[in-house]
Amino acid sequence: DWSSDVCSSDLLLAIELALRGWARRTAVAATLGVLVKWLPAVFAPPIAVHLWRTRAEDEREGRLAIAVDALAFAIGLTVLAIVPFWSGPVFLEGLGRSGAAGPYASVAGAMYRTLSALLPGVDAGLLTNLSLGGLFVAFVIAQSRRVRDGRSLLEATAWISVAYLLLARGINYPWYSVLPIALMALTGRLPLIALMGVLTITSRAAAPLINLHPEVYPFPDAAAIALSL
């Protein structure tokens, strides 16, 4: 999946630039990743907190100016990239539909199917997105508040990537585990290294399940959860 590779590479570059304290270059790398897939935007809070908290005291007066510059560049680049493809409100509707929960291979997919069966009159997709999305946003905020230095930034991004894989992915493929594995390896923390091994093994074990559905959904619930874990 070239798009996941490019997006992950841009995100890792953004984290490296943030560790070096280069805010504007961080914004450039992250924006380039978002233009491929929106995943790097998920990591903006911990990266922004790190850049804000690690600047020297005599440089902090310029933090707001740098943040405004970086945000303006990100918005400008995004607009320039979208304009050629803009087709009106339907463009945004398509983006929303692409991230909607459905009966796919993920924890969200298993929840969607369960809610559809138990509450047939309820919008299962909306309820799934609101519940799991709310949990994920709360987790991102909690992890971002813990960022104090480079090591805590790496740990926060690693945990957020795992939470994103489990909670926010509408559908999971084994190669989606590559980014969490890379981030966990960078931390050097034993619990995360152990989790990295578990994720590697389970992703490899679940990979053949992809062949169970050449074109058609939904997955059996057991297969969906196994592919997510």
Side-chain angles (χ1 to χ4, degrees), residues 9-111:
S9 297
D10 287 336
L11 175 59
L12 290 173
L13 176 59
I15 292 173
E16 170 63 21
L17 294 172
L19 291 173
R20 294 173 181 266
W22 296 339
R24 293 183 179 89
R25 298 179 188 182
T26 300
V28 173
T31 302
L32 292 175
V34 169
L35 293 176
V36 179
K37 284 187 175 182
W38 69 279
L39 174 61
V42 169
F43 298 87
I47 290 175
V49 170
H50 174 266
L51 289 170
W52 187 271
R53 288 178 171 172
T54 56
R55 296 189 67 81
E57 290 292 339
D58 57 352
E59 297 178 343
R60 289 185 176 177
E61 291 183 0
R63 290 184 302 185
L64 183 57
I66 293 174
V68 171
D69 287 348
L71 182 60
F73 177 85
I75 294 174
L77 184 58
T78 301
V79 170
L80 289 175
I82 289 178
V83 164
F85 306 99
W86 181 255
S87 56
V90 68
F91 180 88
L92 298 177
E93 292 177 9
L95 291 178
R97 193 176 299 114
S98 66
Y104 310 130
S106 64
V107 171
M111 182 175 180

Side-chain angles (χ1 to χ4, degrees), residues 4-14 29 179:
S4 294
D5 293 340
V6 172
C7 175
S8 298
S9 297
D10 287 336
L11 175 59
L12 290 173
L13 176 59
L179 178 61

Side-chain angles (χ1 to χ4, degrees), residues 203-224:
S203 295
R204 179 64 266 177
L209 295 173
I210 292 292
N211 297 324
L212 294 178
H213 66 108
E215 299 293 340
V216 183
Y217 295 107
F219 278 72
D221 287 335

Side-chain angles (χ1 to χ4, degrees), residues 12 15 19 43 46-47 50 139-140 142-164 179-193 195:
L12 290 173
I15 292 173
L19 291 173
F43 298 87
I47 290 175
H50 174 266
F139 186 81
V140 170
Q143 288 296 318
S144 299
R145 294 182 62 184
R146 295 179 56 250
V147 174
R148 293 291 186 277
D149 51 24
R151 179 175 291 275
S152 59
L153 172 63
L154 291 175
E155 291 179 6
T157 54
W159 283 116
I160 288 172
S161 68
V162 173
Y164 180 80
L179 178 61
I181 289 172
L183 290 172
M184 286 188 284
L186 291 173
T187 67
R189 294 291 192 182
L190 184 57
L192 285 167
I193 296 298
L195 182 57

